[in-house]
Amino acid sequence: MRILLLHQYFLEKDEGGGSRFNEMTKVWSSLGYKITVLSGMVSYTTGKKPERYKKKYFYKDENFYDQVDVIRSHVSESYNTNFIGRLWGYFSFVFSSTYAGLFKTKGKYDVIVVTSPPLFVGITAVILSLFKRLPIVFEVRDLWPESAIDTGVLKNKLIIKMAYWFENYIYKKAKLINVLTPAFKTKLIEKGVPEEKIIFIPNAADFTLAEQIQKSDFDADTFKKELGLEGKFVITYVGAHGVANHLIQLVDAAEQLQDTSVVFQLIGSGMKKQELQDEVKKRGLSNIIFRNAVPKAEVFKYILASDMGASVLKNVDTFKTIYSNKTFDYMSCKRPVFLAIDGVSRELVEKADCGIYVEPENIDDIVLKLKKILQDKESLSLSGINGYEYAKKHFDRGVLAQQYVNHLQTVAR
């Protein structure tokens, strides 16, 4: 089976961030499948093009991984400027990826897998499906346009109406729709999607990287000391610094926790990062540390040298339906989860007994619960082990990747 994957933000090899499909394609290729990825040239977190893509509209990276080719196509660098810039960032990829799919791919494929957001990449999928006569499997990683509306990114009523229309259209065109949480399935059924059309392959824990680091000569205590964090209670956040993440709540909490050993370590980039850094400087806070995005393998070193891993989002109803991908990274490192996301993510952490839930944007709740944790650190170690064992049982990437490809085979041409 040959798979054509449409993913605007498929990561570079050394790029930090959500690596769901980077890892998924590695497993698929190890099972003997050939994958071509159509992706964009602009990083999701930085909004910039790497230097090697400058002045190019297409860039083909054959054998990006074994049996995995990646074709990068043009995306406007206006993505992180404003709403119009972001919209043009989406549609510039639609145009360029459609051209790449029609004229830059070689041979025949059996199925198109398209992952959203952005929802508009589905336009490319529909066009390629028509010309190549291929079935579409559509993946919902985030409820869109709801999440864009709730966070204030999407406000234009006409565009919202068009987005809902296209969402309904792509659901009808897809042979299968994969959702990442049970709540997504419920929402889609409420929207009229037939239940038999929906499959559930959630995000997964990446045990391989964490285990490789732990088997090496890496020493977490030494690394923590090298970072100047010895004796500190380190809570590490890994990911985007954007509107949806609302990391200002950690800044507010840090201000009230200056008389404790708590230090928030924020790793990544995004459109709100400079604003956050300016705010920390303005308040004179020394218990928030910003670090640039680092490769996935390096990220795990920072997590292993931390006391907790943070998953944080804005307090809006749409985010009650998602699993935060970084939560699984913390679980695979046996680190307790500091969770500021309500809904299914809270249910997961409480069921696994692998951390603490704080009400998003409720600074008093965040501060109170962290102070309690500082008085009962012994329970944290057990929480970390609980999360690891629960993820091993329910969210092993190898098992889930096999389940996914089994579904693809049922609809492949």
Side-chain angles (χ1 to χ4, degrees):
M1 184 167 65
R2 295 193 68 199
I3 301 166
L4 183 60
L5 171 64
L6 305 184
H7 187 351
Q8 183 165 343
Y9 301 111
F10 191 80
L11 296 183
E12 303 284 350
K13 285 182 181 177
D14 58 351
E15 186 178 5
S19 61
R20 171 178 172 80
F21 272 100
N22 292 71
E23 304 306 325
M24 194 75 76
T25 54
K26 287 180 186 176
V27 178
W28 289 348
S29 67
S30 72
L31 295 171
Y33 302 106
K34 176 73 176 174
I35 304 102
T36 299
V37 183
L38 294 182
S39 187
M41 291 180 171
V42 170
S43 167
Y44 171 73
T45 52
T46 66
K48 298 177 181 178
K49 284 184 180 180
E51 197 61 36
R52 67 183 177 279
Y53 300 148
K54 294 291 178 69
K55 298 182 180 179
K56 291 184 175 71
Y57 278 92
F58 303 99
Y59 185 97
K60 187 167 186 179
D61 199 338
E62 294 183 329
N63 285 314
F64 183 84
Y65 303 129
D66 183 40
Q67 294 278 85
V68 180
D69 296 336
V70 178
I71 301 174
R72 302 275 178 186
S73 56
H74 170 71
V75 178
S76 169
E77 289 185 84
S78 64
Y79 176 80
N80 268 342
T81 53
N82 51 40
F83 170 70
I84 298 299
R86 176 163 294 197
L87 204 59
W88 179 235
Y90 293 151
F91 278 97
S92 61
F93 179 69
V94 169
F95 301 139
S96 64
S97 63
T98 299
Y99 184 92
L102 291 174
F103 302 108
K104 298 292 182 178
T105 57
K106 297 178 181 179
K108 294 183 178 181
Y109 296 88
D110 299 291
V111 63
I112 296 173
V113 178
V114 56
T115 180
S116 164
L119 178 67
F120 303 114
V121 73
I123 298 172
T124 300
V126 171
I127 295 171
L128 297 184
S129 171
L130 179 65
F131 279 90
K132 293 178 178 286
R133 297 184 179 181
L134 294 175
I136 297 171
V137 175
F138 188 79
E139 176 169 288
V140 180
R141 287 184 291 116
D142 196 358
L143 286 176
W144 213 94
E146 284 92 340
S147 62
I149 295 168
D150 283 352
T151 55
V153 172
L154 196 58
K155 298 178 181 178
N156 186 284
K157 291 182 179 179
L158 178 60
I159 295 174
I160 289 172
K161 187 175 181 179
M162 288 172 60
Y164 275 119
W165 175 87
F166 184 71
E167 179 198 30
N168 183 58
Y169 176 75
I170 192 67
Y171 290 163
K172 288 181 178 178
K173 294 292 289 184
K175 293 293 184 183
L176 289 175
I177 301 170
N178 183 55
V179 295
L180 269 59
T181 76
F184 284 5
K185 181 176 181 178
T186 300
K187 287 288 185 181
L188 263 58
I189 291 172
E190 289 174 359
K191 289 171 181 264
V193 177
E195 185 173 357
E196 62 272 15
K197 204 176 194 178
I198 304 171
I199 60 175
F200 172 50
I201 308 293
N203 279 325
D206 193 343
F207 298 100
T208 305
L209 281 174
E211 289 170 356
Q212 283 176 350
I213 293 171
Q214 289 171 319
K215 288 176 182 177
S216 68
D217 58 359
F218 174 75
D219 183 88
D221 291 334
T222 300
F223 187 64
K224 187 174 183 178
K225 187 176 182 179
E226 290 172 354
L227 294 173
L229 296 172
E230 186 179 21
K232 299 296 184 180
F233 187 85
V234 181
I235 302 173
T236 293
Y237 169 87
V238 179
H241 295 41
V243 175
N245 314 101
H246 202 71
L247 296 178
I248 189 66
Q249 61 189 300
L250 298 186
V251 176
D252 292 339
E255 189 170 24
Q256 295 189 35
L257 290 164
Q258 292 181 85
D259 60 343
T260 72
S261 61
V262 171
V263 171
F264 292 102
Q265 179 175 236
L266 311 183
I267 304 174
S269 56
M271 64 189 301
K272 288 289 183 178
K273 184 168 183 174
Q274 187 59 56
E275 184 179 315
L276 290 164
Q277 290 176 311
D278 292 343
E279 191 63 29
V280 167
K281 185 177 180 180
K282 176 183 172 183
R283 301 188 197 188
L285 304 180
S286 60
N287 56 345
I288 285 208
I289 298 170
F290 292 94
R291 303 195 190 279
N292 293 331
V294 297
K296 188 86 174 191
E298 292 298 308
V299 160
F300 275 62
K301 291 181 179 180
Y302 287 92
I303 296 172
L304 288 165
S306 302
D307 296 279
M308 299 190 81
S311 294
V312 181
L313 284 172
K314 192 174 177 67
N315 189 18
V316 296
D317 286 342
T318 301
F319 293 146
K320 293 178 181 179
T321 64
I322 73 158
Y323 286 151
S324 170
N325 193 41
K326 56 185 68 67
T327 298
F328 298 101
D329 290 339
Y330 306 144
M331 293 167 84
S332 70
C333 290
K334 299 182 182 177
R335 290 299 175 265
V337 180
F338 170 81
L339 183 76
I341 309 171
D342 205 349
V344 294
S345 281
R346 177 183 180 181
E347 291 170 12
L348 169 65
V349 167
E350 290 180 346
K351 190 171 183 179
D353 191 18
C354 65
I356 63 165
Y357 163 78
V358 297
E359 184 181 347
E361 300 185 50
N362 185 333
I363 310 307
D364 290 339
D365 192 47
I366 293 172
V367 171
L368 177 64
K369 287 180 178 174
L370 282 179
K371 285 185 175 179
K372 284 184 178 179
I373 282 289
L374 292 175
Q375 297 170 3
D376 186 23
K377 294 181 183 179
E378 291 182 8
S379 64
L380 279 181
S381 179
L382 181 58
S383 293
I385 294 170
N386 289 343
Y388 177 84
E389 292 178 347
Y390 191 87
K392 266 286 188 183
K393 184 176 181 180
H394 299 284
F395 298 100
D396 184 274
R397 193 181 303 281
V399 174
L400 293 174
Q402 179 66 71
Q403 291 176 2
Y404 207 143
V405 87
N406 290 345
H407 284 297
L408 299 184
Q409 287 176 325
T410 66
V411 298
R413 185 179 60 178

